[in-house]
Amino acid sequence: MNDTTWAIKQIKMEMSPNANINWVKGVYLEQEFEVLNDSIFLLKRDFLLADFSFEKKEDARGIYGKKTVLYDQHKFNEKRPSGFYDRRVTSRDEAIYKREESFWKENRLEPLNRDESGVYQMLDTLQSVPAFQRVYTIASIAATGYLEFKGWDFGPVYSLIGYNDVEGLRLRVGARTYFGPDDPWRIEGYGAYGFKDEKFKYGILGQLMLDPKSRLIASAGYRNDIEQLGSSLTNTTDVLGRSLASSSLLNVGDNNTLSTIKLTTIGLSIELVRNITFQVIGSHRNLRPASPEFSLSWYTDRAQNEIATDIDQTEVSTIVSFTPGRKTSGYGVDRTVINAENFPTIFLNYTYGARDIFNSDFEYRKLQLFYDQPWWIGGLGLANISLEAGKTFGEVPLGLLSVVPGNQTYFSMYNTFPLLDFYEFVTDTYVASHFEHNFNGRIFSRIPGLRNLYLREIIGIRGVWGNISEENRQLDASGLPLRAPQEEPYWEYSAGVGNIFKFIRIDAHFRGSYFDNPDARTFGVTATFGFHF
C-alpha cells in the first residue's frame, strides 16, 4: 500500500478451495504496480499459477501452469497516428518463435530459476515418452474431434457412427488438411454409407485466404447427402455441417422425415472491421424426399392437379455477422475462439431466391435475424438468451419454408424444442426465443451431501410464435398438416442437473401449450456430453 496516495501497489489472491471449477485445484495470482504519480499506476509484474488436476484431493496428481508477464520501458507523451492503437496482427511472424537462446538471456527482464530452466528439457523428453503421447492424443481428440497426422487430420470422430430410419446404420469417415493453426488454405471432406438404403454420400469443401489483412476468404463446396431440414430456423449453407437430428443413434418415434439434398455453394467473406464479417454466398440445391413415407411435393398447376416431387432452387445470400468482444487465436482460414461465453452474436441474412437460373423453381426473398447474448450475473452464474426472427416474402413449398426445429433425439441440440416432432409446426413468418440460466452450483453447494459433488443446476424456457400464409398452404401438396403456432405461442420449460461426473448433463422438459396436437409429447429427457470448466 502506498501511504501517500493510499493506492494498492501489490495484490496477492488465491482461489477458494470450495470453488466449483472443473479440473482446477487451485489458482494463485500476484500483481505488482509502479506508482508514477497520484493518478497513474503502471502494472509492473503479473504472475499467475494454476494447479490442474482430475481431483481436488490434497494428494491428487496433476500439473502446474505458470505465467509471468513483466512490463518495462513505458513511453509517454509521444503522439501517434489515430490508427496506431487500433492496428491488429493479421499474420504469424515465424521469426519470433525461432529466437536464439542468447536473445532471451540478453532481453529477459527476470532470469529463469532452476525449475523453470528445466522445463525446456522436460518438454523435449516428454515428446519421446509413449505414455505422454497417448495422453496427448486422447486429450486432442476430446478437444477437437480429430486424430492428428502429419499434414492432415482424421475426423470428426464423433460422426463416425449414426442411425436413422432411412439409412439404417450409417458409417462416416472424414479428413481435412492441417499443417497448423495458421493455414491460408484448407480442404476437407467426408464419405458416408448407409447399410439400409445402400447408398454412398459425400461432401467436400475448400477455403482459400486471398488477403490476410482484410481476411478475404473464398470458398466452394458440394454435398450429396441425407439431411433433416427441420432442425434449425436460421438458414445455413454449411456444406459439411450435419445436425445430430439426421443420424442420432437414439430417437423418439420414427425419424423418416429426411430429405436428400444436393447442395453446391460458392462464396466470399471479408472482415474489414474487427469482428464484423460480410459474406456473399451463391448456392444451388436439389431437394427430394429420402423416404417414400415423406413428401416435399408441391402443385405446379393446382387447377390441373399437376404436382412436382422435388425442388430445384438457386439462392444468393448476403450475410452480416457482428461479434463484439470476440477474441480468437490463429491467422488462418479457421480460427479458434478463446472466449466463447463472453460476447454476443448478431447475425443478419438477406436471401434472394432466383427463378429459372439453373432450372430454379421459385422467386422469393427471405429476411432472417439471429441474436445470442451470454450474460454473467455475478455469483449467480451464467444466463444466455437468444432471439430468432424471420419472414419469407413470396410463395414457396414445404422444403423452403421455416420449420420450427423439433428434437426427436435423446440428446440436447442448440435452439431446438425437445418436445416437438419434426415438422410439427411450419411457418413463413416466425419469432422464437430461448432463455437458459446455469447457476454454476450456487444452490447445490449449500445442500449437505451434494456440496462435494460439484453439481450445477440449470433452468430454461423457450417459445415460438409463427404464421403461414394461405398462398403457401395452397401451394403445398405434401399431405402433411401445415400447422403454425399462430393462435398463441408454443412454449416449453426445463430444469436440469449438469457436471455429473464432470461431463454429463441431464435435462427434464415440460410442454407448456398445444397439448391437443396429434401425438403431442408433454414430457421428455435429454442428455448432453462435454467437458467444461
Side-chain angles (χ1 to χ4, degrees):
M1 178 80 72
N2 184 289
D3 59 3
T4 302
T5 59
W6 300 101
I8 296 176
K9 293 183 62 178
Q10 188 177 55
I11 298 173
K12 293 183 179 181
M13 295 189 296
E14 188 173 3
M15 185 185 84
S16 167
N18 296 321
N20 190 347
I21 304 177
N22 290 336
W23 327 115
V24 179
K25 191 164 68 172
V27 176
Y28 177 75
L29 171 69
E30 282 186 9
Q31 288 186 332
E32 297 178 14
F33 296 86
E34 178 183 351
V35 181
L36 188 65
N37 56 45
D38 62 356
S39 60
I40 297 179
F41 303 86
L42 303 176
L43 182 61
K44 184 170 62 174
R45 185 174 185 271
D46 190 3
F47 173 78
L48 176 68
L49 175 67
D51 183 1
F52 298 95
S53 175
F54 287 107
E55 299 179 281
K56 293 197 175 186
K57 299 178 181 178
E58 286 296 326
D59 58 348
R61 294 183 178 182
I63 60 174
Y64 286 104
K66 186 167 70 172
K67 183 183 74 169
T68 304
V69 181
L70 301 172
Y71 301 88
D72 195 11
Q73 299 181 1
H74 297 90
K75 295 182 180 180
F76 297 93
N77 301 320
E78 288 190 13
K79 191 173 183 179
R80 299 286 188 179
S82 58
F84 176 81
Y85 298 101
D86 295 327
R87 286 187 306 177
R88 57 174 174 166
V89 179
T90 57
S91 61
R92 181 185 179 96
D93 187 354
E94 292 293 340
I96 294 177
Y97 301 92
K98 298 178 180 179
R99 307 278 196 189
E100 298 292 337
E101 183 59 29
S102 58
F103 171 86
W104 295 112
K105 288 182 178 180
E106 180 181 347
N107 292 277
R108 186 176 279 119
L109 299 178
E110 183 178 274
L112 299 178
N113 59 37
R114 185 176 65 178
D115 292 337
E116 291 169 340
S117 299
V119 169
Y120 291 99
Q121 182 178 356
M122 180 189 69
L123 290 175
D124 291 337
T125 303
L126 282 175
Q127 299 297 322
S128 59
V129 177
F132 175 80
Q133 287 294 329
R134 286 194 295 270
V135 172
Y136 173 81
T137 299
I138 294 173
S140 176
I141 292 175
T144 67
Y146 286 90
L147 180 60
E148 299 178 3
F149 295 92
K150 187 176 182 180
W152 66 284
D153 294 343
F154 174 83
V157 297
Y158 303 124
S159 302
L160 285 175
I161 301 176
Y163 180 88
N164 59 59
D165 292 337
V166 175
E167 296 176 281
L169 179 65
R170 170 189 168 103
L171 298 183
R172 181 188 188 275
V173 293
R176 67 179 183 181
T177 61
Y178 192 91
F179 302 96
D182 306 310
D183 289 349
W185 62 273
R186 182 156 293 154
I187 298 174
E188 47 192 322
Y190 73 91
Y193 183 78
F195 286 86
K196 183 177 180 179
D197 65 353
E198 298 181 339
K199 292 181 180 180
F200 178 74
K201 300 91 180 176
Y202 61 95
I204 187 169
L205 173 68
Q207 299 178 83
L208 174 64
M209 181 173 289
L210 304 176
D211 178 37
K213 186 176 181 180
S214 63
R215 291 196 57 80
L216 178 62
I217 299 174
S219 62
Y222 179 77
R223 173 161 59 118
N224 184 348
D225 206 343
I226 287 178
E227 185 66 82
Q228 178 54 256
L229 301 180
S231 61
S232 175
L233 271 174
T234 304
N235 279 9
T236 176
T237 52
D238 186 359
V239 172
L240 302 184
R242 182 178 173 84
S243 169
L244 184 64
S246 304
S247 54
S248 173
L249 290 172
L250 299 174
N251 294 281
V252 180
D254 296 330
N255 185 10
N256 53 21
T257 56
L258 294 159
S259 302
T260 298
I261 178 172
K262 297 179 180 179
L263 173 65
T264 303
T265 69
I266 183 169
L268 284 174
S269 69
I270 191 168
E271 188 178 326
L272 294 172
V273 179
R274 180 177 298 179
N275 291 330
I276 301 180
T277 303
F278 296 89
Q279 293 177 277
V280 177
I281 301 174
S283 66
H284 179 82
R285 70 190 70 201
N286 174 266
L287 302 174
R288 61 184 61 205
S291 165
E293 302 171 22
F294 178 58
S295 173
L296 293 172
S297 298
W298 53 281
Y299 286 105
T300 58
D301 189 331
R302 188 178 182 87
Q304 300 297 322
N305 202 32
E306 296 179 359
I307 294 176
T309 58
D310 66 341
I311 303 168
D312 280 294
Q313 190 59 50
T314 299
E315 293 181 341
V316 178
S317 296
T318 303
I319 301 169
V320 180
S321 58
F322 180 38
T323 52
R326 182 186 62 166
K327 297 179 181 179
T328 60
S329 65
Y331 307 105
V333 291
D334 291 324
R335 295 182 294 181
T336 301
V337 177
I338 59 179
N339 63 332
E341 295 179 341
N342 289 284
F343 63 89
T345 298
I346 302 172
F347 176 93
L348 182 64
N349 180 16
Y350 173 77
T351 298
Y352 173 68
R355 182 183 301 218
D356 297 331
I357 298 179
F358 301 114
N359 297 318
S360 183
D361 292 318
F362 296 93
E363 181 177 6
Y364 57 90
R365 291 162 179 80
K366 181 178 291 187
L367 187 64
Q368 294 181 306
L369 170 69
F370 171 80
Y371 172 69
D372 183 270
Q373 175 70 65
W375 184 22
W376 286 97
I377 311 176
L380 294 179
L382 175 66
N384 196 95
I385 186 169
S386 68
L387 174 69
E388 295 180 271
K391 182 173 179 59
T392 301
F393 302 89
E395 298 179 17
V396 293
L398 176 61
L400 300 177
L401 287 170
S402 299
V403 181
V404 177
N407 183 359
Q408 291 182 220
T409 78
Y410 288 103
F411 303 99
S412 296
M413 294 190 298
Y414 178 70
N415 271 18
T416 62
F417 292 84
L419 297 179
L420 283 183
D421 291 339
F422 301 126
Y423 293 94
E424 187 168 341
F425 288 120
V426 181
T427 71
D428 54 32
T429 303
Y430 64 86
V431 177
S433 183
H434 296 250
F435 174 82
E436 180 179 284
H437 186 82
N438 187 329
F439 289 93
N440 281 333
R442 183 76 174 180
I443 301 173
F444 288 151
S445 64
R446 286 160 171 76
I447 301 176
L450 295 179
R451 181 181 298 113
N452 295 329
L453 296 178
Y454 299 104
L455 300 175
R456 298 172 184 176
E457 49 289 286
I458 304 106
I459 59 172
I461 187 170
R462 59 198 69 87
V464 59
W465 174 90
N467 188 18
I468 182 171
S469 68
E470 185 60 30
E471 290 79 7
N472 286 331
R473 292 180 186 273
Q474 293 298 318
L475 182 65
D476 178 66
S478 67
L480 290 177
L482 299 189
R483 290 185 296 266
Q486 179 181 359
E487 296 179 1
E488 62 174 325
Y490 171 80
W491 64 283
E492 302 174 355
Y493 58 99
S494 62
V497 178
N499 211 39
I500 303 171
F501 306 119
K502 291 186 170 63
F503 72 97
I504 300 175
R505 168 178 163 179
I506 303 294
D507 290 279
H509 305 275
F510 305 88
R511 195 180 187 107
S513 60
Y514 288 93
F515 295 96
D516 295 332
N517 281 5
D519 301 318
R521 290 181 285 140
T522 60
F523 175 78
V525 176
T526 60
T528 307
F529 301 90
F531 296 96
H532 303 279
F533 281 101

